[in-house]
Amino acid sequence: MQIVPRHERGALVLAVTGDLDIDNVAPLGAALENASREGAGPVVVDLSDVSFADSTTVNVLLQGQTALGPRLRLAAPSVFMERLISVLGLDSAVPVFPSVAEAIDPPLPA
């Protein structure tokens, strides 16, 4: 698992790659916790390159939502993550966007 942070248009984007499980998800939790203490813009977790995640990962994302509130956004979930988010209903707690760009600047409702 790897996390590559970058700043884009006022948002902190955390690009996550690889498998996320109980043995290696702690750095994601730490990154979300640090983000809750810094800045005021959106915090976008790019899930496009996540090949596996377990319930520990979901717990870390929910803790991030508690700390960041509406600032936390999930973006571009891989096929695996799309299924996990859908089955667990995670999208009812954390907004999920089809792309990082849309997570940073959500489209206005029609």
Side-chain angles (χ1 to χ4, degrees), residues 9 29 43 49 51 53 66 78 90 95 100:
R9 297 190 334 260
V43 177
D49 290 324
S51 49
T66 299
S78 64
L90 183 59
V100 170

Side-chain angles (χ1 to χ4, degrees), residues 7 12 14 27-45 60-72:
H7 290 277
L12 171 61
L14 302 172
L28 178 58
L32 293 173
E33 186 177 321
N34 289 338
S36 73
R37 292 189 298 256
E38 301 172 0
V43 177
V44 178
V45 181
V60 165
L61 292 172
L62 289 171
Q63 289 173 358
Q65 194 279 330
T66 299
L68 290 159
R71 292 178 54 207
L72 180 63

Side-chain angles (χ1 to χ4, degrees), residues 41-65:
V43 177
V44 178
V45 181
D46 179 352
L47 300 169
S48 59
D49 290 324
V50 173
S51 49
F52 174 81
D54 66 5
S55 60
T56 309
T57 305
V58 173
N59 189 41
V60 165
L61 292 172
L62 289 171
Q63 289 173 358
Q65 194 279 330

